[in-house]
Amino acid sequence: MPRKFIKRFMPDHSVIKRQKALKIFGNVLYNPNLWCLNRRSASGAFAVGLFMAFVPLPSQMIMAAGLAISCGVNLPLSVALVWISNPITMPVLFYCAYKVGAFAMNVPAQGFHFELSWEFLLTQMNTIGPPFLLGCLICGILAAMVGYFGIKGIWRYSVVRSWQQRQSR
């Protein structure tokens, strides 16, 4: 069952409640619905976490927590899924997002060379910024939809299969 599999990887809610960065949410963290794991909360958490993984800002986890709280989905799962875009995978994900955005805007993709200066960053944000941000939005929405419907489907399949196994005994 997906619940048992997912629970193995989820952190303890007392550990998350003690995080200093999440203190801005106050007593909302004590809502028991944010910690339960069912088909609705897991699929919603996958959608929130995968969407926020494509947000190109350093505070992805806090934004995922805020969105999970406002949507009423599983908080630890949505925060953990943001780590799909970790420092190792982020260049590949964001490069693919840029390519998707350039394709969507019908703009030729430009070559990339990096310099550590403000002028370089401002110039690049003017040229590659719009396709990159559009690509992040498109990829985030697609990843959220695939995660949401994928987990809903896997969960339903698992429940139906366990019912069938019980009936055959």
Side-chain angles (χ1 to χ4, degrees), residues 28-43:
V28 176
L29 292 178
Y30 296 105
N31 182 356
N33 291 330
L34 296 175
W35 308 100
C36 71
L37 189 61
N38 54 36
R39 180 172 41 172
R40 183 198 159 283
S41 69
S43 58

Side-chain angles (χ1 to χ4, degrees), residues 138-150:
I138 292 170
C139 290
I141 290 172
L142 287 175
M145 289 173 55
V146 167
Y148 180 81
F149 291 116

Side-chain angles (χ1 to χ4, degrees), residues 94-165:
F94 285 166
Y95 181 70
C96 290
Y98 168 68
K99 294 289 260 186
V100 167
F103 177 76
M105 291 180 73
N106 201 15
V107 174
Q110 297 180 357
F112 183 76
H113 63 284
F114 183 73
E115 292 177 25
L116 191 57
S117 70
W118 282 110
E119 296 150 17
F120 170 77
L121 290 175
L122 293 176
T123 305
Q124 290 299 320
M125 276 297 123
N126 287 333
T127 57
I128 67 169
F132 171 65
L133 294 175
L134 179 64
C136 285
L137 180 66
I138 292 170
C139 290
I141 290 172
L142 287 175
M145 289 173 55
V146 167
Y148 180 81
F149 291 116
I151 291 300
K152 260 203 177 322
I154 289 169
W155 201 292
R156 178 155 174 75
Y157 171 77
S158 173
V159 169
V160 168
R161 198 176 96 225
S162 67
W163 284 348
Q164 289 172 347
Q165 287 175 349

Side-chain angles (χ1 to χ4, degrees), residues 6-89:
I6 292 171
K7 276 202 176 234
R8 270 193 281 168
F9 299 104
M10 283 182 37
D12 188 30
H13 66 275
S14 61
V15 173
I16 292 177
K17 286 179 186 176
R18 288 193 306 260
Q19 294 294 320
K20 290 181 181 180
L22 296 178
K23 296 286 185 196
I24 62 172
F25 297 115
N27 291 334
V28 176
L29 292 178
Y30 296 105
N31 182 356
N33 291 330
L34 296 175
W35 308 100
C36 71
L37 189 61
N38 54 36
R39 180 172 41 172
R40 183 198 159 283
S41 69
S43 58
F46 264 78
V48 167
L50 292 175
F51 177 77
M52 284 305 191
F54 282 94
V55 173
L57 295 174
S59 57
Q60 292 172 322
M61 290 175 60
I62 295 170
M63 290 186 295
L67 192 56
I69 289 169
S70 66
C71 293
V73 298
N74 190 285
L75 179 67
L77 191 56
S78 62
V79 170
L81 281 166
V82 168
W83 280 96
I84 286 177
S85 65
N86 58 54
I88 296 170
T89 61

